Amino acid sequence: MSISPNGRYYAWLQQENDENLIVVYDTQKDATTVKRTGDKIKNRSINFATNEYVVLPASSTQRFYSRLNPLEYSGAFSFNLATGEVKRLLLGTQDLYLSQTGLGRIIGVNEDDASVFMPAWDNKSTPRYNLYKVSLETGRGVLTAPGSWRTTDWFVSAQGDVLAREDFDHEKNEYALYSYSDGKAEKIFTQKTHLPEISSEALSQDEKTLLLADTSQNLTQVLAIELSSGKQHQWPIANQQEDIDHGRQSQTHRCKIRWIPAQLSVYRKTSAVIG
């Protein structure tokens, strides 16, 4: 189940007679409507992006001109609750590499112009992990910030401005964090490592500081980095008397932060918004 940003609508997935349905409850009208997404889309979950659009992380069987056999495409679809129109997000985006996984990840939403921000690989001779602004109405994406083959993650503000980028160079064994506080990429932190031992965990509410989990010293530490200056603050993980739980499982080194010092309670998690 998902709730619209204005709190008016509740939406959930339902299946009847092998048919995929979206059920929407309007709290103001006390009325329920049923929308059909079609048989070709295999829905996994539902999330409101705006009051008018829900996003469906899902899969569907697609045929591409460059491939002989059909491909089970896994990504995200937008669904217009008023018209029932379904759009595959990132479809028609210029220079996008088609046969890639993880296309359903959304790291930011701009409600004002009904768009979302999604990282994806392009089809250059040396592919880059770029950030795209994607229209929920058309599904097409526009390049917002170019990455590189080293790029592993992106961070955006609530307004969709690029804040930071993470890279890992397996040839140089180097993790790097880039800040976009002045509009262009500036390297503010590096760490020599065979495997990344740092994972992003949270962003301050003023969007000026990134909170990382650092396991490089055989003890998980909280590392806060100011995006404008690269200035660092470190805290060891607090004990179980701290009742603030901002934890999430890291996909890199399987370390989990569970208790964070109380002064960091103003941070919000940086994990994907959708997907």
Side-chain angles (χ1 to χ4, degrees), residues 213-232:
D214 182 5
T215 61
S216 60
Q217 305 299 322
N218 297 321
L219 171 66
T220 300
Q221 298 185 92
V222 174
L223 178 63
I225 299 181
E226 297 179 10
L227 295 177
S228 61
S229 64
K231 186 177 180 180
Q232 302 173 26

Side-chain angles (χ1 to χ4, degrees), residues 88-107:
R88 178 158 65 92
L89 299 183
L90 288 172
L91 179 66
T93 301
Q94 186 176 1
D95 297 329
L96 195 71
Y97 181 67
L98 295 177
S99 303
Q100 61 178 295
T101 59
L103 282 178
R105 184 166 179 257
I106 294 173
I107 65 170

Side-chain angles (χ1 to χ4, degrees), residues 1 88 132-133 136 145 154 187-188 208 216 233 257:
M1 178 180 288
R88 178 158 65 92
Y132 297 88
K133 183 178 181 179
L136 294 172
W154 290 92
K187 188 184 293 186
I188 60 172
K208 295 181 179 180
S216 60
H233 308 275
I257 289 185

Side-chain angles (χ1 to χ4, degrees), residues 6 24 50 56 69 78 81 100 115 167 178-179 197 235 239 247 268 275:
N6 62 7
V24 181
T50 70
L56 306 167
N69 297 317
S78 67
L81 294 175
Q100 61 178 295
S115 62
D167 283 12
Y178 290 82
S179 170
E197 297 177 301
W235 296 275
N239 58 34
R268 61 180 172 85

Side-chain angles (χ1 to χ4, degrees), residues 131-152:
L131 184 64
Y132 297 88
K133 183 178 181 179
V134 184
S135 167
L136 294 172
E137 181 181 4
T138 67
R140 291 188 177 90
V142 177
L143 179 64
T144 295
S148 75
W149 64 268
R150 308 174 188 85
T151 302
T152 58

Side-chain angles (χ1 to χ4, degrees), residues 7 28 41 43-44 60 62 72 91 126 141 207 226 258:
Q28 289 187 8
I41 299 177
N43 304 319
R44 299 197 307 269
S60 67
Q62 303 281 335
E72 187 69 10
L91 179 66
T126 301
E207 301 177 331
E226 297 179 10
R258 292 203 59 84

Side-chain angles (χ1 to χ4, degrees), residues 164-166 175-179 186-189 210 212 225:
R165 185 186 90 216
E166 281 185 309
Y175 167 90
L177 178 66
Y178 290 82
S179 170
E186 179 182 357
K187 188 184 293 186
I188 60 172
F189 177 81
L210 191 64
L212 308 176
I225 299 181

